[in-house]
Amino acid sequence: MQRRERARHLIELGGLVQKAGLVDLADDDRATIYGALLELVGRARDDAASDTLALWKRRGRRAFDAEAKTTA
């Protein structure tokens, strides 16, 4: 059961990468996508990490809310 849950979780995360447009932007190049994600982690670990994470969370929630309104 844990294996299925983990697989589902990873699939959902991949869907978020796709939904955000990173796959198309990087022309489906995994090294570019991985580099971009590493850059995000680096930014989030600097002195203003809590501010950066809070900003990303707000942006993500707004995007999810906007999507929910268009599909409802």
Side-chain angles (χ1 to χ4, degrees):
M1 192 63 158
Q2 284 181 327
R3 189 172 169 186
R4 280 188 189 169
E5 289 175 12
R6 183 176 185 275
R8 180 177 174 87
H9 180 74
L10 293 174
I11 290 167
E12 288 173 352
L13 292 174
L16 291 174
V17 171
Q18 175 72 39
K19 185 181 280 202
L22 189 55
V23 175
D24 291 334
L25 182 67
D27 198 28
D28 201 13
D29 180 66
R30 273 114 173 123
T32 303
I33 294 168
Y34 188 42
L37 294 171
L38 291 173
E39 176 70 21
L40 290 173
V41 169
R43 288 184 187 189
R45 287 191 174 151
D46 73 3
D47 294 336
S50 63
D51 293 339
T52 300
L53 293 172
L55 173 67
W56 293 349
K57 184 179 271 190
R58 282 193 308 271
R59 284 184 181 167
R61 283 187 177 160
R62 276 187 256 144
F64 279 137
D65 290 345
E67 181 182 326
K69 287 180 184 176
T70 61
T71 58

